[in-house]
Amino acid sequence: LELSPLPATVILMNSGVHLAIEGARTLDDLRALADRGVDVLACGTCLGYFDLTDRLAAGRITNMYDIAQVLLDAGKVVHV
């Protein structure tokens, strides 16, 4: 939230989807980013693997095709 400019997109994959579910400490920050126009994407396959699909509370569910397209179109990618 303190970055300027804000990222265009935040992608949550693998265990990162746990950051956007009910009860996550990061939920308020992800919601605030979304409210400020950041596209928060959560991998639907990953949510399904962890049985978290119904608990997603920030962002939207997407698929690997869309995630790959966002990454390919990005001018800069930061990963952790």
Side-chain angles (χ1 to χ4, degrees):
L1 291 172
E2 297 174 16
L3 292 176
S4 181
L6 290 174
T9 308
V10 172
I11 301 172
L12 304 172
M13 297 185 310
N14 300 321
S15 62
V17 296
H18 285 91
L19 300 174
I21 64 167
E22 300 165 0
R25 293 184 338 201
T26 51
L27 189 56
D28 290 340
D29 289 330
L30 287 173
R31 284 180 173 160
L33 285 170
D35 288 345
R36 292 177 66 187
V38 176
D39 196 10
V40 178
L41 305 177
C43 170
T45 302
C46 306
L47 287 164
Y49 176 81
F50 292 110
D51 197 27
L52 298 174
T53 305
D54 293 338
R55 295 184 57 201
L56 184 68
R60 62 185 175 92
I61 298 173
T62 192
N63 57 49
M64 198 51 72
Y65 174 79
D66 290 338
I67 290 171
Q69 194 63 53
V70 169
L71 293 173
L72 289 170
D73 292 343
K76 184 183 291 186
V77 176
V78 178
H79 61 89
V80 182

